[in-house]
Amino acid sequence: MDYIINKSETIYTSTKKAINGTNSMRFFGVRFITIWVLPLAITGIFMEYLFISPITGRVPF
């Protein structure tokens, strides 16, 4: 039984391919933004609204 994952990248494999010139850097694409950047941004805004706003007395929006 073979377990094959297509189009999976790690930081090591994407930089290795980019340095060799065989492939372009694909790590900071749409997938990276949807998995890491947007959830962290939403969490930061939520934490700002819940914890920092009441302490400073300012309305964030």
Side-chain angles (χ1 to χ4, degrees):
M1 186 177 204
D2 292 332
Y3 185 72
I4 299 171
I5 299 174
N6 294 329
K7 292 197 173 216
S8 65
E9 292 285 339
T10 62
I11 296 172
Y12 173 74
T13 57
S14 63
T15 53
K16 183 178 172 185
K17 290 177 186 176
I19 290 171
N20 289 339
T22 59
N23 208 356
S24 63
M25 181 71 89
R26 296 188 317 163
F27 183 70
F28 293 104
V30 175
R31 186 180 301 161
F32 177 78
I33 291 172
T34 57
I35 292 174
W36 289 103
V37 176
L38 291 178
L40 287 175
I42 291 168
T43 304
I45 291 169
F46 186 68
M47 298 296 241
E48 170 83 22
Y49 184 73
L50 281 181
F51 300 115
I52 306 301
S53 281
I55 292 171
T56 58
R58 292 183 286 162
V59 180
F61 302 107

